Amino acid sequence: MRTGEETSGRVCEADVHDGDTSARRAGREASAAAPGGDVRRDGEVIVSAEGLPEWLDPVVRAAATVEPRQLSAFLPPKSGSGRQSAVLILFGEGGAGPELLLMERSGTLRAHAGQPAFPGGALDPEDGDPAGAGPLRAALREAREETGLDPAGVQIFGVLPRLYIPVSGFVVTPVLGWWRAPSPVGAVDPAETARVFTVPVADLTDPANRATAMHPSGHLGPAFTVEGALVWGFTAGVIDRILHFAGWERPWDRAKRVSLDWHA
């Protein structure tokens, strides 16, 4: 999976500072080196901007420059508390052009039942250092376990700043991937995943599919009505920021509301 010249060698142990980790710095270096550069990671995990389709260039640039506060007001506690986790934001090319891979959680789960999300979950000890390559391994492992995709066909090309989900206490590292060699996907465990689906980026940028989700608690956030699903919460917030900083966002009616219930 390694191509091109190595730009910075191995990146292993590193201190965490202002949401930046060695995985994040590797993503910045790979983005800065594009085209033609990649960063070799311990455990054969690689961050590479080599050979990506041109339409992903704005995402590569955004990943290299965006700051944590530009993505969310909720950042990891300075105390270092929180459960380390990662999600895979996987871009592919489908019949309708660029697309994102999402999954819908089972309706029987105690938390976030029926909610669309990126594949991902908490780091396991075998994933390794949370401040190093651990989130990269976790994102690929969780995506395989939840959707059945073959990680060998995924090229990691960037890492966004770590974010925080206060309601669950998760510290989340968003890992950006290019589905270089697509593989069959589907719900591996119906008790955990109701379905796996892709959403064309064109549908996500369509103003007709955009709205503001309104939780009974009073919290407002971006939402998308796509593929028969309402995407909201953390997932919608990250998609919204990617569209914005990649320059793909189109003007939409922010006064359009969709109400959530207390089970959301």
Side-chain angles (χ1 to χ4, degrees):
M1 195 170 156
R2 181 172 181 268
T3 57
E5 292 183 351
E6 191 166 307
T7 61
S8 70
R10 290 178 55 142
V11 185
C12 300
E13 301 297 325
D15 293 332
V16 177
H17 179 67
D18 292 335
D20 207 12
T21 66
S22 62
R24 165 76 167 147
R25 286 191 289 276
R28 288 183 185 273
E29 291 163 1
S31 299
D38 66 16
V39 178
R40 189 177 184 86
R41 300 306 309 267
D42 54 314
E44 302 303 318
V45 182
I46 298 167
V47 179
S48 172
E50 168 83 7
L52 298 176
E54 289 186 6
W55 58 263
L56 268 177
D57 287 350
V59 182
V60 175
R61 289 192 293 269
T65 58
V66 69
E67 297 298 328
R69 287 284 178 193
Q70 293 177 303
L71 290 179
S72 175
F74 302 110
L75 302 182
K78 293 185 177 180
S79 65
S81 62
R83 191 176 183 189
Q84 298 295 325
S85 64
V87 296
L88 180 64
I89 304 174
L90 186 60
F91 290 90
E93 184 108 39
E99 60 186 16
L100 272 177
L101 179 71
L102 295 177
M103 52 171 279
E104 188 174 302
R105 300 184 185 279
S106 170
T108 60
L109 293 175
R110 288 184 296 177
H112 308 295
Q115 187 173 346
F118 300 118
L123 270 68
D124 286 346
E126 58 266 29
D127 293 324
D129 184 8
L136 308 182
R137 295 193 194 95
L140 293 173
R141 175 183 54 75
E142 286 283 344
R144 183 189 69 243
E145 293 174 359
E146 293 176 331
T147 74
L149 73 78
D150 182 358
V154 176
Q155 177 179 339
I156 296 176
F157 67 86
V159 182
L160 296 178
R162 295 184 308 156
L163 304 175
Y164 187 59
I165 304 179
V167 67
S168 61
F170 277 94
V171 175
V172 185
T173 299
V175 177
L176 299 168
W178 160 239
W179 210 354
R180 182 172 45 82
S183 54
V185 292
V188 175
D189 182 359
E192 182 177 348
T193 305
R195 65 171 173 142
V196 178
F197 59 102
T198 56
V199 180
V201 172
D203 289 353
L204 293 167
T205 60
D206 187 342
N209 297 331
R210 303 213 55 180
T212 298
M214 182 171 57
H215 195 275
S217 65
H219 177 74
L220 301 176
F224 301 84
T225 52
V226 290
E227 299 297 320
L230 174 64
V231 183
W232 63 281
F234 174 86
T235 303
V238 173
I239 293 174
D240 171 80
R241 293 295 81 196
I242 290 175
L243 297 181
H244 175 77
F245 286 107
W248 295 342
E249 185 178 34
R250 297 165 59 189
W252 57 281
D253 183 6
R254 297 174 186 272
K256 179 183 175 182
R257 298 282 199 265
V258 290
S259 296
L260 304 172
D261 61 31
W262 280 107
H263 298 288

